[in-house]
């Protein structure tokens, strides 16, 4: 399946990327699996998306837990804990 | 429109006047967040707010919806600014109008507590030691858990 992936704030800066469209292998079915798959790229990806790092995710504009299933055409965003207000 | 995300400043007085138009309103509680000139011991010269266009408005509307489901309110107004701001600048406005003050105080605090942990805004501050992203505070998560415990 194909999904749009967005990165915000410190994650966007660390990864040097704000958006990409990716064709996912069949083994990637959830938001958490997508994070692991991206971390496998190594380098800054492995560090910034490591399991112990506080990274939040949204699927189609709603915050979701790692187990959230993905569908083709989804917009998935990864970002650090929010700091507005 | 009860929720706005904007670069421009807002007029808190005009917002309060708008919340006061309904004659059944007996209480208006507001919160205004402003830019501090010091954070974590360093002087802050400016603050840049980034957000997630599309999700931000939805997240704020969802928080307002939760507050309205929890308390009987006449009107709610939320404004959050983005872009680069300086000390003394206004960042956020939350105004809640209702019949009595108790539910308005509670709803205003609830909206701010959820906004701080659920709405996709990120602050980057410019200090004498360079730029840095503001870290989320555990106390903000704890503030939300307090509401979840009821």
């Amino acid at each position: 399946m194909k999904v749009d992936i967005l990165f915000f704030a410190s994650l966007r800066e660390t990864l040097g990327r704000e958006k990409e469209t990716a064709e996912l292998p069949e083994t990637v079915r959830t938001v958490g699996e997508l994070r692991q798959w991206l971390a496998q790229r190594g380098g800054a990806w492995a560090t910034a998306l490591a399991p112990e790092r506080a990274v939040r995710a949204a699927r189609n504009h709603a915050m979701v837990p790692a187990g959230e299933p993905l569908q083709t055409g989804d917009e998935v965003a990864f970002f650090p804990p929010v700091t507005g207000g | 429109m009860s929720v706005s995300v904007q670069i421009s400043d807002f007029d808190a007085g005009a917002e309060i006047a708008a919340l006061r138009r309904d004659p059944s309103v007996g209480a208006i509680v507001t919160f205004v967040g402003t830019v501090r000139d010091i954070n974590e011991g360093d002087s802050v010269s400016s603050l840049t707010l980034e957000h997630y266009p599309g999700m931000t408005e939805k997240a704020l509307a969802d928080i307002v919806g939760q507050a309205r489901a929890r308390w009987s309110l006449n009107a709610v107004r939320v404004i959050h600014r983005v872009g680069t701001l300086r000390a003394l600048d206004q960042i956020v406005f939350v105004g809640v109008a209702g019949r009595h003050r108790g539910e308005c105080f509670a709803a205003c605090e609830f909206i701010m507590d959820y906004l701080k942990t659920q709405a996709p805004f990120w602050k980057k501050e410019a200090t004498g030691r360079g730029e840095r992203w503001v870290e989320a505070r555990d106390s903000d998560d704890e503030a939300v858990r307090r509401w979840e415990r009821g």
Side-chain angles (χ1 to χ4, degrees), chain B residues 65-86:
Chain B
Q66 288 180 55
R68 298 196 73 137
R70 197 162 173 148
W71 294 280
S72 169
L73 307 171
N74 289 62
V76 177
R77 178 81 169 118
V78 177
I79 306 171
H80 203 298
R81 295 178 70 195
V82 292
T84 300
L85 304 173
R86 298 187 178 281

Side-chain angles (χ1 to χ4, degrees), chain A residues 7-84:
Chain A
F7 306 97
F8 288 94
S10 54
L11 211 51
R12 169 177 52 76
E13 285 188 348
T14 308
L15 301 174
R17 188 168 301 187
E18 61 184 72
K19 187 177 183 181
E20 67 175 275
T21 300
E23 181 67 46
L24 306 181
E26 283 184 10
T27 50
V28 178
R29 289 151 305 183
T30 66
V31 167
E33 286 165 357
L34 174 58
R35 175 176 167 176
Q36 287 170 14
W37 182 72
L38 291 168
Q40 283 165 17
R41 290 174 173 174
W45 296 86
T47 317
L49 298 172
E52 68 272 17
R53 297 296 287 266
V55 174
R56 305 282 186 262
R59 172 176 172 253
N60 300 330
H61 298 155
M63 287 238 223
V64 291
E68 177 79 3
L70 293 171
Q71 283 187 6
T72 195
D74 278 352
E75 179 175 301
V76 182
F78 292 101
F79 42 79
V82 302
T83 55

Side-chain angles (χ1 to χ4, degrees), chain A residues 6 8-10 12-13 56 58 60-63 75 77 79-85, chain B residues 50-52 55 58 80 92 115-124 133-136:
Chain A
L6 280 67
F8 288 94
S10 54
R12 169 177 52 76
E13 285 188 348
R56 305 282 186 262
N60 300 330
H61 298 155
M63 287 238 223
E75 179 175 301
F79 42 79
V82 302
T83 55
Chain B
E50 173 176 332
H51 78 121
Y52 181 177
M55 177 173 167
K58 197 172 159 228
H80 203 298
V92 59
L115 184 154
K116 299 271 306 181
T117 55
Q118 309 290 315
F121 293 99
W122 300 273
K123 287 185 187 126
K124 189 181 205 180
W133 290 97
V134 173
E135 297 277 328

